[in-house]
Structure formats: C-alpha cells, structure tokens
Amino acid sequence: MESKSGTRDLADLNLALSKLRENEIKYRTLFDNANDAIFLTEDGVLLDCNRKFCIMFACSKEQAIGQTPDTFSPLVQPDGRRSSDKAVEIGKTTFPGEPQFFEWRYRRYDGSLFDAAVTLNRIDIDSDKPVLLTIIRDISEQKEVENKLRISEEKYRGIFENAIEGIFQTTPEGKVITANTTFASMYGYGSPQEMIETVTDIGKEVYVNPEDRARFKKMCEEQGSVEGFEEQVYRKDRGKAWVSLNARAVRDENGNTLYYEGTIEDITQRKEMEDALRRSEERYRTFIDTTSDGVFLKDHQLRYAIVNKMFRRFFNKTEDEIIGKTDFDWRSKKDAEGARRIDLKSLRTSSISITEEVVNNRIYEIRTFAVNLGETSKGIGGFVRDITERK
C-alpha cells in the first residue's frame, strides 16, 4: 500500500510537470509568434527556428533545421569581408557571454538577399553545450530609405556646392550659419567654414554701408522677402564688390525670425560696365550738346531716339516733344512726308542725302544717312546746320 508521503510526492511531481508544460507552451507561443525571426544554434548547427524565420527566409522549418548559418549568408558582406570570417570573429566575442548587436546581410532560401539588424546572445540551456540565440529584424526597407535619402542628400549637396549663385543663411544678428563654396569665394574666403568662423557680424564687417543691412532686414521683416536687392560689400582683402540678393525671412511658429536665406549674385562687372556706360554717355552727351550743328538719331521705326540741344533750338521744341515720336507727330504733314522720303532713300541706298529746309525763316542744310543699330536693324542719323548767313 502506497504511503501518504509517496502520494504527495507524486502529486507534486505531476504539478511541476504540468507547470513545466504550461511554461513550455507559453514560451513556444511567444517564440513562434514573435515579430522578429529567431533561431538557436549549437555547435554551429541550427537547432530550432520560429515561424517568422521561415517567412523571412522563404523556407520551411524542415529546410532550416540542421543547416549552418552560412547557408543563409552570402559569400561576402557589404564591407567586402567573407561572411564566414566575420561570423567566427563575432562568435568569439559572443561565447564569453557578451551580447552582440550588428547589421548583417542574409540570403533567403531562394538566393535573394536582404539586410537585417541582428542581436546575438549566449544562453546556457546545458552548461556543457552553450547555445547561441539569434534575433533578426529585416531592415531592408529602412536601408532602402536611408540609401535614397543619402542619394538625395548627395544630389542636392552637389547642386548646393556647385551652384553658380551663392547660397546662404544668416541670422538677424549677422552671423553666417550656412554658405556654399560660391558664396564664400565671392567674399574672398577659401571655404564656407572659414567664412562662418571668421565673420561674426555681416552688417559691420561685410557691408560697405551698414545702413544697407538695416534696410535689407526691414524689407524682409515687412515684406517677408526681397528680390534684386543690390548692395556694395567688402571682400576678405577689403576690396569692394557689388552683389544682388534674393532672400526671404524664415520664421518659427510664433512668427519670430530665425534666419534669412537666399541666393546672391556678383554683379560687380555689370555695375562697372553700367558706370563706364554712364560716363561714356555723359561724355557723348557733352560732346553733341556743345557742337554747333544739330544732331539726331532715329530708330528702325523712324522715331527720334536722340536729339541734341542745338537740334531742339533750331526747331524750337523740347526734348519731350521730340523723343519717341516720328516727324508726323510734331512737324507739318508736308515737311514730315519730305523727311520720310529722304529717310527711306537713305535706308535703301546707304548713301548720304543732303537737303535744305526753311524753318522759322532760317535755312538749314540737313545731311541724312543710314546707321546700323544692330545685326539686323538700321536707323537714320543726321546733322542739321544753319546756313542762312552763307546763303
């Protein structure tokens, strides 16, 4: 007859076995329903794997069990090292009990590749035979996004650095926070970093007229942006240059200005040409206004483009009464028709036509000739001389 203590021991054993089975079912359920692929290896051979592993590697459990991890890795990793060599190196670090976290390129059962984030750890199920637990998370989509982002950044960085125009960001206080190479070179700096580290107040250190900086900021604050804002600036060597800005104010959610950003163009050559042209025009205007003959120029539509002071005096007209108008707009019909005939003859024959006209009881000799206004355009130029006394 069985003793009471034996019956109690048997009951305790059955309870322990029941709890063990419950725990095994619980952990098997967690194992099989994990979102990450999990597998166990012992002596370099795959002992077990979960359902996610089979999905991730496109294989059945029977095809996976008994294989080595090399079966699921390409020959070479993205860094150019052999997968087997890297695996041995990682394993040596893991076996002493130090968990490993790394990225790995795997090969599915059909040969296709994917990138994964891996956690590798040692677990001691049997002290004589340590088991490696590997958890794999597919990061292919993440890597693809990162790669696209990298390509995009490289593309726009290339555009930023190689743009013909200077690109910049400056704080309201005048600190340069972003600049491309073109922007820095416009100001004579060897690199954007040199300018960023050197210039602390662009209004005082770069602007020839600091009030231009104040005017620029005021326009950005009131209008939100500026276009074609011209200003004279100092280069690093204190030489002067002219630039043109297109910029906008970048604000936070409360409307406070964080910085100004935009593009800049060096217009020094254009300004020098404009200045040279202005001086040339002034010299030309002085010359034709001091000559004793009347001087005029008509465009391709026979509208007056230039008349000097003596010409206006001969005909007793102001500049506004003549410039932009044809002879028909301010002369008698008879005189205008005569002038038109002579103009057309000069354009047709490219010869000088000499005629005489009486205006306000004075006799004038008019020399008319064709003038090239461009590659495909011609106008009429001429001189008017008072010959009353000679006559």
Side-chain angles (χ1 to χ4, degrees), residues 99-150:
Q100 299 295 306
F101 306 93
F102 55 93
E103 290 186 4
W104 193 263
R105 178 158 292 175
Y106 281 103
R107 181 176 60 197
R108 298 185 181 90
Y109 209 73
D110 60 8
S112 59
L113 304 177
F114 69 95
D115 293 305
V118 182
T119 301
L120 186 63
N121 206 348
R122 169 180 167 168
I123 57 176
D124 294 318
I125 298 175
D126 185 335
S127 60
D128 294 331
K129 292 186 177 181
V131 174
L132 290 181
L133 170 69
T134 306
I135 302 174
I136 303 170
R137 176 165 295 177
D138 189 338
I139 59 170
S140 298
E141 290 185 5
Q142 175 187 330
K143 296 290 284 187
E144 184 178 356
V145 169
E146 290 175 354
N147 188 52
K148 287 181 178 179
L149 181 60
R150 178 184 56 78

Side-chain angles (χ1 to χ4, degrees), residues 164-381:
I164 296 175
E165 294 180 324
I167 303 174
F168 67 90
Q169 290 179 332
T170 60
T171 65
E173 295 74 28
K175 180 69 177 173
V176 180
I177 53 178
T178 303
N180 68 347
T181 302
T182 303
F183 182 85
S185 64
M186 280 184 186
Y187 290 92
Y189 290 89
S191 69
Q193 192 61 34
E194 181 190 3
M195 187 173 187
I196 289 170
E197 293 174 354
T198 302
V199 178
T200 58
D201 188 341
I202 197 169
K204 294 180 180 178
E205 300 170 42
V206 173
Y207 280 66
V208 173
N209 299 306
E211 59 269 21
D212 284 344
R213 175 67 176 178
R215 186 164 57 90
F216 165 81
K217 290 172 61 176
K218 183 179 180 181
M219 292 176 67
C220 282
E221 294 302 324
E222 293 178 352
Q223 305 172 15
S225 64
V226 296
E227 291 186 11
F229 185 90
E230 295 185 0
E231 61 194 23
Q232 195 173 26
V233 297
Y234 287 116
R235 301 186 194 275
K236 181 182 177 182
D237 62 4
R238 305 310 287 172
K240 295 180 181 179
W242 280 95
V243 296
S244 176
L245 293 171
N246 293 324
R248 71 184 185 99
V250 178
R251 298 185 170 96
D252 62 18
E253 62 275 8
N254 297 318
N256 301 313
T257 298
L258 299 173
Y259 53 86
Y260 307 113
E261 67 177 13
T263 59
I264 185 171
E265 178 186 3
D266 189 332
I267 59 169
T268 304
Q269 187 175 11
R270 191 195 81 194
K271 296 291 282 188
E272 289 175 349
M273 291 177 63
E274 288 176 353
D275 188 52
L277 180 60
R278 178 183 54 77
R279 292 195 302 269
S280 175
E281 287 179 345
E282 288 174 354
R283 288 195 298 268
Y284 144 79
R285 174 62 65 181
T286 301
F287 169 74
I288 68 167
D289 275 344
T290 55
T291 183
S292 59
D293 289 344
V295 180
F296 66 89
L297 176 67
K298 299 177 184 179
D299 64 17
H300 65 287
Q301 293 182 326
L302 302 181
R303 295 174 303 193
Y304 284 90
I306 296 174
V307 290
N308 74 341
K309 186 184 297 182
M310 190 58 69
F311 184 92
R312 300 193 300 271
R313 182 182 298 173
F314 286 161
F315 289 93
N316 194 26
K317 297 289 182 181
T318 65
E319 193 169 44
D320 289 341
E321 290 176 302
I322 303 174
I323 296 298
K325 298 178 173 60
T326 68
D327 288 289
F328 288 93
D329 295 321
W330 60 278
R331 302 184 66 183
S332 69
K333 183 178 179 182
K334 178 182 177 182
D335 290 343
E337 288 177 344
R340 181 177 175 78
R341 283 195 300 271
I342 294 169
D343 290 345
L344 294 177
K345 177 183 176 183
S346 296
L347 289 172
R348 185 173 62 254
T349 62
S350 296
S351 61
I352 298 176
S353 298
I354 303 175
T355 59
E356 292 182 5
E357 287 189 28
V358 178
V359 179
N360 298 327
N361 297 318
R362 305 293 294 181
I363 305 171
Y364 296 103
E365 178 185 83
I366 303 175
R367 293 174 177 264
T368 305
F369 46 88
V371 176
N372 288 323
L373 301 177
E375 294 183 1
T376 60
S377 179
K378 284 188 175 184
I380 292 294

Side-chain angles (χ1 to χ4, degrees), residues 14-27:
N14 287 333
L15 181 61
L17 290 173
S18 177
K19 288 184 177 180
L20 183 62
R21 282 194 296 271
E22 287 178 8
N23 287 335
E24 184 179 352
I25 292 171
K26 182 195 304 181
Y27 288 111

Side-chain angles (χ1 to χ4, degrees), residues 143-160:
K143 296 290 284 187
E144 184 178 356
V145 169
E146 290 175 354
N147 188 52
K148 287 181 178 179
L149 181 60
R150 178 184 56 78
I151 293 172
S152 177
E153 287 178 345
E154 289 176 355
K155 179 175 69 175
Y156 287 107
R157 170 59 59 178
I159 294 173
F160 178 78

Side-chain angles (χ1 to χ4, degrees), residues 28-60:
R28 171 56 64 176
T29 301
L30 292 174
F31 181 76
D32 275 336
N33 291 280
N35 287 325
D36 296 324
I38 304 174
F39 70 91
L40 302 173
T41 54
E42 182 183 79
D43 292 334
V45 177
L46 201 140
L47 290 178
D48 197 3
C49 63
N50 67 350
R51 186 181 296 113
K52 187 67 176 181
F53 179 93
C54 297
I55 295 172
M56 190 178 292
F57 286 87
C59 66
S60 66

